[in-house]
Amino acid sequence: MANPTPAAIQQYIADGLHCAHLEVEGDGQHFFATIVSSEFEGKSRIQRHQRVYQALGDRMRAEIHALSMKTLTPDEWATKA
């Protein structure tokens, strides 16, 4: 199986999680995602990551070997931008 592209990972996340902003970078093995979603409101960092893993489903085990992520609410994103 070919390694996924950053664009494919971005689409997988977008298909399963409403995002106000989504950016994925990577080399086919290691990926870094910046994910901004109102679904993260009131959730811990671990709960936010679990929500992203839920959106990715089995792809996290089968296709994606390493994913680092920054998960922010729209308000948190606005103060960082």
Side-chain angles (χ1 to χ4, degrees), residues 2 5-7 11-12 20-21 26 29-30 32 35-36 38 41 44 50 53-54 57 66-67 73 75 81:
T5 64
Q11 189 61 54
Y12 298 156
H21 176 84
Q29 295 280 332
H30 303 91
F32 179 79
I35 307 161
V36 180
S38 59
E41 297 283 349
S44 69
Q50 288 171 333
Y53 295 145
Q54 180 185 23
L67 174 65
T73 66
D75 287 343

Side-chain angles (χ1 to χ4, degrees), residues 4 8 24 34 40 42 50 54-55 59-61 68-69 72-73:
V24 179
T34 301
F40 298 149
Q50 288 171 333
Q54 180 185 23
R59 290 183 178 102
M60 199 58 219
R61 281 182 237 105
S68 298
M69 60 186 110
L72 304 164
T73 66

Side-chain angles (χ1 to χ4, degrees), residues 1 3-4 6-7 9 14 16 18 20 25 29 31 34-35 40 56 69 72 75-76 78:
M1 179 184 317
N3 290 335
I9 303 290
H18 178 268
E25 301 170 2
Q29 295 280 332
F31 297 94
T34 301
I35 307 161
F40 298 149
L56 291 168
M69 60 186 110
L72 304 164
D75 287 343
E76 290 168 342

